[in-house]
Amino acid sequence: MPLPHSVLLTLGGLAAGVLAGLLGIGGGVLMVPLLLLFGINVDQAAATSLFAILITATTGSFQNWRMGYLQPKQVVLLAIPAATLVIIGTEFGELLSEHWRRAAFGILLLANIYLVSLKKRVATTVQPPNQIPPIPARLITGSTSGFMAGLFGVGGGVVMVPLQILLMNTGMKTAVRNSLAVIALTSCVACIHNSLKGDIVYGAGLSLGLGGLVGVQISTRFLPKLPEQVVSVLFRILLCVLATYVFWQAWQAYSRV
């Protein structure tokens, strides 16, 4: 890969790493579009993104563990269904046309904005509805995020953070940290699967991952200083911006059909 492309991918990885540590997403929502911009096809972009996410999320989770913010038991219970469904999501994604795949991702992002807002309204009611029992809540949260990670080449945090808040009554910052650790485990499984298929572009993935490694170190140290409400607002703004961009990409792909 030419040096200018590697530099741009590293800078993109840096931005993705900052978002990963700050908002609990793997960063694939930035990495996949960037890889597509350099002519990598959608299946390779998804696989390469997950390879870079593995580097970023592992680094951020290790930092959270060192700072005493990680919940290992909760992470493992979420990671088991997520890692199981990520392979199914990968295979299913290859059956969809590119424009429908991107449009579905945009709808998913908008749905998550509603989920976060719904949780906020529920928390302010005098008699909130009964919470889903812990085991089904973890299964739904982990399975959904794992499937979406494989389907779209993202870490799954854009799904896992809102579902933890809504179904598991988890605080925003805790949900962010749990999500990042689960993403690391899920991405590891996905990378093994994708490497056997030969879909990972390792040079591009390393450039993204190295940039993300630096970015996530910055943001995981900065997260504890931010109020919960600020993190929540930033997360929703990010989802709005990304949804708009993804719908535009879907329209561009549809126009080429």
Side-chain angles (χ1 to χ4, degrees):
M1 178 167 288
L3 182 60
H5 288 186
S6 297
V7 172
L8 289 174
L9 285 172
T10 302
L11 293 175
L14 178 67
V18 171
L19 291 175
L22 197 60
L23 302 177
I25 64 175
V29 287
L30 290 181
M31 292 179 184
V32 171
L34 189 58
L35 290 166
L36 293 172
L37 183 65
F38 290 117
I40 297 174
N41 69 53
V42 68
D43 292 331
Q44 289 182 323
T48 304
S49 169
L50 285 170
F51 175 66
I53 286 168
L54 173 63
I55 300 172
T56 302
T58 301
T59 304
S61 298
F62 180 71
Q63 182 62 34
N64 283 331
W65 175 74
R66 286 186 58 191
M67 296 170 70
Y69 291 132
L70 209 59
Q71 298 180 332
K73 180 180 178 180
Q74 192 75 280
V75 168
V76 170
L77 292 174
L78 286 169
I80 292 173
T84 303
L85 268 292
V86 70
I87 304 300
I88 297 175
T90 301
E91 296 299 318
F92 182 74
E94 295 181 358
L95 302 177
L96 298 177
S97 59
E98 185 174 335
H99 60 277
W100 284 118
R101 197 169 175 181
R102 297 188 189 197
F105 187 35
I107 293 171
L108 172 68
L109 293 171
L110 292 178
N112 284 333
I113 298 171
Y114 171 75
L115 289 177
V116 173
S117 300
L118 177 63
K119 178 59 184 179
K120 185 177 180 180
R121 291 199 301 270
V122 168
T124 58
T125 57
V126 178
Q127 291 182 322
N130 294 330
Q131 292 288 326
I132 297 177
I135 293 177
R138 293 190 192 103
L139 287 174
I140 293 171
T141 301
S143 299
T144 304
S145 65
F147 182 79
M148 295 304 171
L151 179 59
F152 299 119
V154 300
V158 290
V159 177
M160 182 168 289
V161 171
L163 287 183
Q164 283 185 87
I165 295 169
L166 183 64
L167 301 182
M168 300 172 59
N169 202 29
T170 305
M172 185 69 181
K173 289 185 180 180
T174 302
V176 165
R177 291 163 181 144
N178 289 344
S179 173
L180 196 62
V182 174
I183 286 168
L185 297 174
T186 305
S187 299
C188 181
V189 174
C191 284
I192 294 171
H193 178 71
N194 289 327
S195 65
L196 294 175
K197 295 169 61 180
D199 283 342
I200 300 176
V201 183
Y202 287 100
L206 285 172
S207 294
L208 284 170
L210 290 175
L213 188 150
V214 176
V216 79
Q217 288 293 318
I218 296 170
S219 55
T220 50
R221 287 176 168 84
F222 188 57
L223 178 63
K225 301 176 183 178
L226 290 177
E228 190 100 356
Q229 183 62 25
V230 172
V231 179
S232 179
V233 170
L234 287 174
F235 188 79
R236 279 180 280 187
I237 291 173
L238 173 70
L239 293 178
C240 287
V241 172
L242 290 173
T244 303
Y245 177 62
V246 168
F247 280 128
W248 179 79
Q249 278 196 323
W251 174 253
Q252 294 291 102
Y254 178 74
S255 300
R256 293 193 296 266
V257 176

